[in-house]
Amino acid sequence: MRLFGLIGYPLSHSFSAKYFKEKFAGEDIPDSEYRLFPLKDVSEVSSLLANHPDLQGFNITIPYKVAVLPYLDQLTKTAKAIGAVNCVKIVRDSSGVKLLGFNTDIYGFKQSLLPILKPYHYKALVLGTGGASKAICFALDELGIFYTLVSRSRLDAITIKYSQLTEDVINDNLLIINTTPVGTFPD
């Protein structure tokens, strides 16, 4: 049995297990299973690997897209540039276990944005400053779209606080991207 999964905490909002069960069945991918692995701390990755020798890879969600980096052996060029990963491939061979980190958030975001992008979308607000926002900002840079991050606390040259959002700021940034868990099922 080939095992795949999702790490993060909490995972009660995730539809990944259902999605992949249906995908494996619908595409006739035999002997494959996808499970949720709610890890209260990212350091539990080591025991996850030890307890599941058939695990071949996992996706990553809140709050570990950045925190998992020290546990990885290699990053793709894009994942390294972004500074966050959302997919890990596990390679087991005679030399041991190697974890390879990827970021597919950038691809998914760009593919969903490009068909609806208009010339007036040259400025964006990115709500949140976590791992997902890193991929979004990387994609916006590639697309030549100026962005401002919106955070609860952090302030720097490209970041404002939510309390600084005004009607003028919103009207000046017609592209608004939510990378926070706000609105995540079931809340």
Side-chain angles (χ1 to χ4, degrees):
M1 174 70 67
R2 297 179 329 146
L3 180 61
F4 303 93
L6 173 69
I7 69 164
Y9 194 83
L11 295 179
S12 57
H13 67 279
S14 177
F15 63 87
S16 296
K18 180 180 185 290
Y19 171 82
F20 279 103
K21 181 179 181 176
E22 291 172 1
K23 184 164 187 68
F24 292 156
E27 296 189 18
D28 196 28
I29 301 172
D31 300 321
S32 297
E33 182 181 355
Y34 192 96
R35 293 187 200 160
L36 301 182
F37 298 105
L39 306 181
K40 289 186 178 181
D41 190 274
V42 72
S43 64
E44 295 176 39
V45 165
S46 301
S47 59
L48 175 69
L49 296 171
N51 293 332
H52 298 282
D54 49 348
L55 187 62
Q56 295 189 7
F58 54 87
N59 301 110
I60 304 164
T61 191
I62 295 169
Y64 302 136
K65 290 183 179 194
V66 175
V68 77
L69 294 177
Y71 297 90
L72 305 181
D73 298 294
Q74 187 177 342
L75 298 175
T76 64
K77 183 178 173 183
T78 302
K80 188 179 286 188
I82 291 170
V85 298
N86 70 324
C87 292
V88 171
K89 178 179 180 181
I90 301 168
V91 178
R92 299 175 194 266
D93 59 26
S94 58
S95 65
V97 178
K98 290 200 177 12
L99 302 178
L100 313 176
F102 301 82
N103 192 307
T104 63
D105 284 338
I106 182 174
Y107 176 80
F109 173 70
K110 282 175 76 174
Q111 292 306 305
S112 65
L113 181 64
L114 286 172
I116 61 170
L117 201 56
K118 303 289 185 214
Y120 52 81
H121 291 131
Y122 59 90
K123 290 174 75 177
L125 290 174
V126 178
L127 310 180
T129 56
S133 73
K134 292 178 180 300
I136 299 308
C137 293
F138 189 89
L140 293 173
D141 281 336
E142 284 189 338
L143 294 168
I145 298 172
F146 176 79
Y147 58 86
T148 300
L149 292 162
V150 185
S151 173
R152 285 180 290 189
S153 59
R154 190 176 87 189
L155 284 175
D156 58 31
I158 61 166
T159 310
I160 64 173
K161 290 184 177 185
Y162 285 98
S163 60
Q164 295 173 288
L165 284 177
T166 64
E167 187 175 342
D168 288 340
V169 171
I170 292 170
N171 288 335
D172 196 38
N173 293 272
L174 298 179
L175 185 58
I176 301 174
I177 303 137
N178 180 21
T179 69
T180 74
V182 172
T184 304
F185 178 85
D187 298 321

